Amino acid sequence: MGKKADGKVLAQNKKASHDYFIEDTYEAGLVLTGTEIKSLRNGRANIGDAFATIRNGEIHVHNMHISPFEQGNRNNPTDPTRTRKLLMHKVQISKLLGLSKQDGYSIVPLKVYVRNGYAKLLIGLGKGKKQYDKRDTAAKKDAQRDIARALREKQKIAR
């Protein structure tokens, strides 16, 4: 599947790649109420602690924080971390359900963005990393950074 985010990224879960090996990504629509879309477009969202669950054939995201809109009216939701429903095809949900039931796998929100006027959430199927995996990933990043730095220095000298 592996869809990418084309729209403007409004919130991103940077810790997800640190804590999980992301094996597959899916795009899901967000069901929002009242003035939540206005707050979202202002960049007032946080998905750092968010997670997704599947119940009764529906997928929901929990702990996704969208701050209330300041100029909002009575239609403003009172709970900024309420559970929000995600819109996906039944085939995708059943596939995710089967894969997430395996030991060590979970459904992790990665990015929130707007595409064609609709709020979208990029979710990934992640396998939890062990501590030594995290150290190994950090060492690889450092090595890549050192290589890139050396190449830049070499290009400066060659000029």
Side-chain angles (χ1 to χ4, degrees), residues 29-65:
L30 269 169
V31 177
L32 301 173
T33 60
T35 56
E36 284 181 330
I37 188 67
K38 293 182 178 187
S39 291
L40 201 62
R41 289 183 186 200
N42 286 338
R44 310 266 311 195
N46 183 4
I47 59 171
D49 297 332
F51 63 95
T53 59
I54 300 175
R55 276 181 286 158
N56 300 329
E58 295 180 341
I59 186 165
H60 298 273
V61 66
H62 304 270
N63 288 347
M64 180 178 159
H65 188 279

Side-chain angles (χ1 to χ4, degrees), residues 4 8 11-12 18 24 28 32-33 49 58 60 64 73 80 96 109 116 122 129 132 139 146 157:
K4 302 291 185 219
K8 178 185 171 200
Q12 190 170 4
H18 182 262
D24 203 3
L32 301 173
T33 60
D49 297 332
E58 295 180 341
H60 298 273
M64 180 178 159
N73 54 14
L96 264 176
N116 298 332
L122 187 71
K129 286 186 182 180
Y132 58 84
D146 291 341
I157 293 171

Side-chain angles (χ1 to χ4, degrees), residues 3-141:
K3 295 184 180 181
K4 302 291 185 219
D6 288 343
K8 178 185 171 200
V9 176
L10 304 172
Q12 190 170 4
N13 189 355
K14 294 180 181 178
K15 197 166 182 176
S17 62
H18 182 262
D19 292 338
Y20 298 96
F21 293 113
I22 305 298
E23 296 186 0
D24 203 3
T25 59
Y26 297 90
E27 183 181 68
L30 269 169
V31 177
L32 301 173
T33 60
T35 56
E36 284 181 330
I37 188 67
K38 293 182 178 187
S39 291
L40 201 62
R41 289 183 186 200
N42 286 338
R44 310 266 311 195
N46 183 4
I47 59 171
D49 297 332
F51 63 95
T53 59
I54 300 175
R55 276 181 286 158
N56 300 329
E58 295 180 341
I59 186 165
H60 298 273
V61 66
H62 304 270
N63 288 347
M64 180 178 159
H65 188 279
I66 298 178
S67 297
F69 189 61
E70 293 88 18
Q71 291 84 29
N73 54 14
R74 64 176 177 228
N75 293 331
N76 258 355
T78 56
D79 184 18
T81 59
R82 70 179 181 84
T83 301
R84 292 171 179 88
K85 185 176 174 181
L86 298 178
L87 303 173
M88 292 179 73
H89 294 286
K90 283 188 178 186
V91 175
Q92 290 176 328
I93 293 174
S94 62
K95 183 178 178 184
L96 264 176
L97 179 63
L99 293 172
S100 66
K101 289 287 184 188
Q102 296 176 10
D103 196 32
Y105 284 90
S106 60
I107 304 168
V108 184
L110 302 174
K111 293 180 185 177
V112 177
Y113 54 94
V114 174
R115 177 186 283 172
N116 298 332
Y118 295 105
K120 302 287 183 176
L121 179 69
L122 187 71
I123 57 173
L125 181 69
K127 183 169 175 61
K129 286 186 182 180
K130 304 281 190 231
Q131 188 66 34
Y132 58 84
D133 290 330
K134 293 178 186 179
R135 285 193 294 265
D136 187 43
T137 304
K140 286 180 183 176
K141 270 186 173 178

